[in-house]
Amino acid sequence: MAKCQSTKSTNALTKKESTDWFCAWADRSTVGMVSPGDNAGTGVGKDTAVDLTTKLREQIRVKV
């Protein structure tokens, strides 16, 4: 199971407000957290954060 939480902030360079997502999961032997970002200062959408988190979890998961 994974959970995601958003946070809003103002980019120091562009002065634009952005929303960033943090997604985390844990299972019997692994804990992971993903916090994708962009250089434009506009933030990353929830769908993008969930997609990246899902792909990363699938790649690092080892069957016991």
Side-chain angles (χ1 to χ4, degrees):
M1 174 186 296
K3 298 284 185 177
C4 296
Q5 180 72 41
S6 67
T7 182
K8 290 187 178 189
S9 63
T10 302
N11 183 298
L13 296 175
T14 64
K15 307 296 186 215
K16 294 180 183 177
E17 185 177 274
S18 65
T19 301
D20 294 306
W21 287 89
F22 300 87
C23 298
W25 79 91
D27 56 29
R28 291 183 178 188
S29 63
T30 308
V31 175
M33 186 181 107
V34 176
S35 176
D38 66 1
N39 290 330
T42 57
V44 172
K46 182 178 181 181
D47 291 341
T48 301
V50 170
D51 184 52
L52 290 171
T53 302
T54 301
K55 288 177 181 175
L56 179 65
R57 183 175 182 267
E58 288 172 358
Q59 289 181 8
I60 66 170
R61 189 157 189 211
V62 177
K63 292 187 180 187
V64 182

